[in-house]
Every structure is written in structure tokens, then in C-alpha cells.
Amino acid sequence: MAGITTGLSKITDDPRVNLPASEILRIEDDKKYYQDDLAPYKLKNSYGYEIKRKPEGINVTKMASRSLASLIFNERCSVNLNDNSAQALIDDVLKDNDFYLNFENHLEKWIALGSGCVRPYVEDDKIKLSWADADQALPLSVNTNAVEDIVIAFKSMRVENHRNIYYTLLEFHQRNNQNQYTITNELYRSIDDPNRIGDKVPLGMLDDYANLSEKVTFSDNVKDPLFAFYVNPGANNKSMASPMGLGLIDNAKSIVDAINRTHTEFIWEVQAGQRRILVPETFLGKENLKDSQLKTYQNPHPPMFDPDTTVYKVGYGMSEDTITDMTSNIRVQDYTDTMYFFLHEFENATGLSQGTFTVTPSGVQTATEVVTNNSKTYQTRSSYLTQAEKTIKGLVRAILTVANCPELFSDNKTRWSGDLDKIVTNVDFADGVFVDRNAQKTQDLQAVTAGVMPKLQFLMRNYDLNEATAREWLSEIQDEQQPADPDFEQFNPNNGGEDNDNTRSDADDGSSKQDS
């Protein structure tokens, strides 16, 4: 086929990707747990034949990742810069891309899989954000300190001549020998096999990439990576030299398997514990037989039970006066205790507090108690928070760098031309989940009274005001506290003439005394 030069079975076949193949397999396995795509159980039935039973598990991977993501980040988070023009640009880009909603959703998947990536790009002269999960964003070099070079895979599917064709765009971000930042785009095509990268084809084979350059080299003003790479906290003990983060359950998969098996067997127990009563054949009659069968079978008895019930089973050869209850007891307490045991193990293995998925003897703790007790969830959240903050700050620098590249825009003009090294980014995660707002307000009010907290900061911190609104509040408060105008008091119709005279007399006396 014209245009084909090389083929890749998997992304690690590319010599530029120095990541161990075991890391790809680990991420693929993590993804199956997150998607609840579990392998069926192989069992033998009563006749010795092998059968497969679908697992009825609990997706604790999804539950735990979702809980952590919502504790780490929410829509009340704010990104603040010390430069007004940069602040305006960042606000516009984050708002246009629904960042505060999308980041939490993607953070959930990144926590489950171990890592992820977000990068800005220009489309129709507007800065957009593109997201990639751990199986799509792979470091090129094995360096546990930082991720400088990366390949991002974008997959799509088309139907051509009644066949499924899978395309993969590989976008390589690298530094060349002259320390220049380059982006290389390569398109691969696979027929009927979504798990294979495929053969390399021209970019113009897809209209979406027809105008995409095969290689872009940026000027010297691009010093930072044009992406932000997220990594879960903690060392990667599965691949010691890998810069990829471990998935949430990589060290707890056996526990997750036990939880799923326990829940599955409990459901089987419930099914097996259905009410079952064996009765003689004559008790049920044959009124439910098909017409063809009724012609050859006499029905000596009328219906004696509801034909829709599943409680009664025919016991062939039983004495006509015998009824046998075959119902087995459901071991609810045994399975509950077993499930709680494994859930407690899962909480410990993933750094969550006891009671996150179960009820502790002390009951549900308040947010203040969580902080006071220095709970594991609070400590774990703090570790993840550090990585999330690092990712957001990296994204801000990447957006400002893209905005400072005139070659990316049709008019060859930058959208921001400030000094990136002077930009200071602060991320406020709005820790309302772990902070008792009433207690915080009381403590801050005491600090204001003691003169160790500015009133401006008190208003911004406790009433969620920006600096401009908080200053307006302070200005209005000062205006309201100004002494009343004497002329207004004199002509106030609510005051009697006598009161006005007394007021003037007192004022005159006071003035005389001061003069004397």
C-alpha cells in the first residue's frame, strides 16, 4: 500500500519509547479494573462440566478514585496569577474549555491508572486543551525526576468498505540536539485490529490531519514542555526506574479480587437460598403443558398452586402425602463480616481512613474530626494535592508559552508576551470539605480583633470574595461608619426643634469649654 513505511504492533515497539513493556501491560490491567471488565470465573457444575460465571463485583476502583478526585478538586478551586494580562488569558482559556469540570473527571481516571497528561494547542486561533490518560501519554525517557519528552497517542475509528479501520496519531514532544523544542506527528493505520498501532501512513489520509505539519520546531522562547504531566504520589515499586505513577490499586489487586469474589458468591448464595419446596408430581398437575402434550397425557388433578410461582418444584417418585422444604439458609452475617474485613484491608492499602466504605464503631466522622484525628484520608489527600497543584501550575506555564508563540496563530501575533519567569501561580483548592467554615470564621474574627489578620483577607477567606469586591465592602463599611453630617441632623424632620436646640447648645458649650 502506498505511503506505508513502517509498522508498530504496540507503542513500545517504537525505539524512541524507552518505557518497559511491563508498564503498558500494568496500565492495561488497571484500566480493566477501573472499567469493571473482569474475567469470568471458571467453575464446574454438578455434572463435572466446566462453566463460566460472570463476576458480580463491586467496582471499588471507580469508587475510591472518584472519592479522592472529589476531595482533591472541585469547581470552587481558583487559579490566581500575579499578572493581570496573564490572569485574563488563563481565565478565558480555562472557562472556554470547562477546565474546572473536566479536570476533576480526568483526575479520577489518572488516579485509577497512575498518570495522565493535559496539553494546550491552537485551533481556529483559540487555545484548546487536550486530555490523555496513562495509556495514551507515555514518557520517552526513563527519568524518575521529571518528564520532559513524551509521546501522546490519539486514537480514532472509521468504517471503510464495510471494515473497521483504526487510526492512531502519535505526537512526539522532544528536545533536539540544539535544545530546540520539536513536535513530530505520525499517523498509523490498523485494519480490524484495535489493539495494534498499525502501519505508518501519510497525515493527509485523514481530513482531520491534512493540514497538520509532520514536524514543528519552535523558537528559543519555548523553554518549558508544552504539556503538563500528572503522576500519582509514591514510588513505583513495580518498575523502579519508570517515571509513570502507580495506579491506585496496583498494590491491592488481590484485595480487590477478594472483595469481588465475596460479593459474587453472596449473590450466588441469595439465588441458591430462594424458597424451594419439593412436592409430589400430582400436586402441581399438568395444566401448564403444551396442547400437543395434553393430548397424550391425562390430567387427573385440577391446578393446586399458582402456575407463576417458582417456589414449588416437582419431586418425581415422592409419596403423595410428602412435602419437603429444600430452602437453604443465607449466610448474611458471615458474608457481611467477610466483606467488611476485605474492605478494611482495601482502605488501608489505598491510604483511606477506616470507615470510608464501611461504618466505624464511632460512626461517620465530621470533616473537623477528620482533620483533628489526622486521618489517613486527609494525609493521602495532601499527597495527591501536591501532584495536582504541580500539574495545574505546569499547565498554566504551557498555556502562556503557547500564547507566546506567534507561529501558532494565523495572524502571526502572540496572545501574551510577558516574562514567564516572573509569573507566580497560586492554586486555591477551596478546602471546604475538610474545614469547618463556622469554626474558621470564628477563629479568623478573633485574629482580626487581635490585629494579626487584615480585614481584607478576612472577607476574601470567609465570604469567598475576590479582592476587588472585598475592597468595595471595606469602602462601604467605612462610609457607613463616618459621623453624621451636622446639617443633616439640624434639618432632620424626625428630630424636634428642642432636641436640635439642645444639640446646638451642647455643641456650643463644648466649643466654649475647649476654647477656654
Side-chain angles (χ1 to χ4, degrees):
M1 181 176 179
I4 297 178
T5 56
T6 58
L8 297 175
S9 177
K10 51 186 180 293
I11 196 169
T12 50
D13 291 340
D14 192 297
R16 289 167 290 185
V17 181
N18 294 318
L19 198 67
S22 59
E23 284 289 84
I24 305 298
L25 298 176
R26 176 185 62 79
I27 294 171
E28 290 177 352
D29 197 37
D30 289 344
K31 194 172 182 178
K32 290 181 179 179
Y33 276 90
Y34 177 72
Q35 294 177 325
D36 205 23
D37 182 15
L38 304 176
Y41 296 121
K42 295 181 179 180
L43 307 168
K44 288 187 176 182
N45 62 11
S46 302
Y47 296 96
Y49 298 116
E50 186 177 275
I51 60 174
K52 293 182 179 180
R53 294 287 297 269
K54 179 177 179 286
E56 302 287 350
I58 300 176
N59 197 341
V60 290
T61 306
K62 162 74 174 179
M63 293 166 55
S65 301
R66 178 60 185 163
S67 296
L68 279 173
S70 61
L71 289 175
I72 295 166
F73 189 88
N74 59 74
E75 67 279 1
R76 294 182 60 193
C77 174
S78 60
V79 179
N80 304 305
L81 282 67
N82 63 334
D83 182 276
N84 291 334
S85 61
Q87 181 73 63
L89 173 67
I90 294 299
D91 288 343
D92 288 342
V93 173
L94 298 186
K95 181 179 179 181
D96 290 343
N97 289 274
D98 289 330
F99 173 80
Y100 294 103
L101 174 63
N102 288 325
F103 187 79
E104 182 179 347
N105 293 335
H106 286 281
L107 182 61
E108 175 188 326
K109 293 186 288 184
W110 295 351
I111 291 174
L113 304 182
S115 58
C117 175
V118 56
R119 70 164 181 89
Y121 67 100
V122 177
E123 181 180 297
D124 297 331
D125 286 339
K126 300 192 70 174
I127 299 178
K128 303 290 186 179
L129 298 181
S130 177
W131 307 82
D133 300 326
D135 58 335
Q136 299 173 277
L138 303 176
L140 299 180
S141 57
V142 181
N143 182 356
T144 57
N145 295 324
V147 176
E148 297 290 343
D149 299 335
I150 196 174
V151 56
I152 306 176
F154 301 96
K155 297 184 177 182
S156 60
M157 191 271 286
R158 302 286 193 278
V159 178
E160 301 174 5
N161 296 326
H162 307 289
R163 302 185 69 175
N164 292 334
I165 308 298
Y166 299 90
Y167 289 94
T168 303
L169 177 69
L170 298 183
E171 183 180 281
F172 291 87
H173 291 245
Q174 297 172 285
R175 293 273 179 189
N176 60 21
N177 296 332
Q178 290 77 35
N179 199 32
Q180 293 177 316
Y181 196 93
T182 63
I183 295 180
T184 306
N185 296 299
E186 298 176 0
L187 184 63
Y188 292 81
R189 183 176 185 265
S190 173
I191 302 176
D192 294 331
D193 188 357
N195 298 318
R196 184 173 182 270
I197 298 298
D199 300 311
K200 187 177 180 182
V201 296
L203 292 172
M205 184 166 284
L206 283 185
D207 293 338
D208 295 344
Y209 307 132
N211 297 324
L212 196 63
S213 301
E214 292 187 0
K215 189 172 184 179
V216 179
T217 301
F218 291 90
S219 55
D220 295 337
N221 60 338
V222 177
K223 300 178 181 179
D224 291 17
L226 298 182
F227 60 86
F229 194 76
Y230 170 86
V231 179
N232 273 349
N236 187 338
N237 64 309
K238 301 298 182 181
S239 181
M240 302 293 284
S242 172
M244 305 287 284
L246 280 183
L248 179 66
I249 66 164
D250 272 325
N251 286 302
K253 287 181 179 177
S254 61
I255 302 174
V256 175
D257 291 340
I259 292 173
N260 290 331
R261 186 63 183 246
T262 301
H263 187 258
T264 300
E265 290 189 1
F266 178 67
I267 291 180
W268 294 347
E269 182 107 350
V270 172
Q271 294 172 349
Q274 182 184 14
R275 187 76 170 173
R276 292 174 298 167
I277 298 177
L278 286 182
V279 297
E281 179 185 8
T282 55
F283 274 46
L284 297 178
K286 293 295 176 287
E287 66 282 350
N288 291 324
L289 293 176
K290 297 179 180 179
D291 292 340
S292 60
Q293 294 172 313
L294 287 174
K295 293 178 181 179
T296 59
Y297 190 92
Q298 298 297 323
N299 185 17
H301 295 287
M304 302 182 67
F305 299 106
D306 182 357
D308 292 331
T309 185
T310 60
V311 172
Y312 301 102
K313 311 294 180 184
V314 176
Y316 297 101
M318 294 179 61
S319 174
E320 292 191 1
D321 59 350
T322 302
I323 297 178
T324 305
D325 191 345
M326 299 290 292
T327 306
S328 58
N329 293 327
I330 301 175
R331 297 169 294 171
V332 177
Q333 191 59 48
D334 292 339
Y335 276 104
T336 300
D337 293 342
T338 303
M339 180 64 75
Y340 270 41
F341 174 82
F342 288 127
L343 285 175
H344 283 314
E345 281 199 332
F346 178 75
E347 290 166 345
N348 290 330
T350 54
L352 299 173
S353 301
Q354 292 285 311
T356 302
F357 299 110
T358 58
V359 179
T360 61
S362 60
V364 179
Q365 294 181 331
T366 65
T368 305
E369 291 172 332
V370 169
V371 179
T372 303
N373 297 337
N374 198 24
S375 74
K376 291 183 66 175
T377 298
Y378 185 73
Q379 298 176 45
T380 301
R381 175 185 179 271
S382 298
S383 298
Y384 280 92
L385 206 64
T386 301
Q387 297 300 107
E389 182 178 15
K390 181 180 178 180
T391 302
I392 295 174
K393 289 183 176 180
L395 175 61
V396 168
R397 293 185 67 88
I399 292 174
L400 295 178
T401 301
V402 168
N404 198 23
C405 294
E407 60 268 32
L408 296 178
F409 301 92
S410 61
D411 56 3
N412 289 321
K413 294 182 179 179
T414 62
R415 298 303 184 262
W416 182 78
S417 57
D419 187 351
L420 187 60
D421 293 333
K422 294 183 179 179
I423 296 296
V424 177
T425 304
N426 293 314
V427 183
D428 182 3
F429 287 94
D431 298 339
V433 176
F434 283 102
V435 177
D436 187 328
R437 302 284 292 194
N438 292 328
Q440 173 185 286
K441 186 181 295 185
T442 300
Q443 295 174 358
D444 289 353
L445 186 59
Q446 294 174 352
V448 171
T449 304
V452 295
M453 174 182 279
K455 294 179 180 179
L456 179 67
Q457 294 299 324
F458 174 82
L459 293 176
M460 294 173 61
R461 175 178 164 88
N462 292 278
Y463 291 94
D464 297 325
L465 304 179
N466 57 37
E467 183 175 351
T469 305
R471 291 189 182 280
E472 290 178 3
W473 279 34
L474 288 176
S475 178
E476 292 178 7
I477 293 172
Q478 292 173 356
D479 291 342
E480 291 175 356
Q481 293 177 348
Q482 291 293 331
D485 189 346
D487 294 334
F488 174 80
E489 290 292 336
Q490 179 178 357
F491 297 105
N492 190 344
N494 293 327
N495 293 330
E498 183 177 353
D499 291 338
N500 291 337
D501 292 341
N502 291 338
T503 303
R504 290 193 299 271
S505 176
D506 292 341
D508 294 341
D509 293 343
S511 300
S512 301
K513 291 178 181 178
Q514 290 176 0
D515 293 339
S516 61

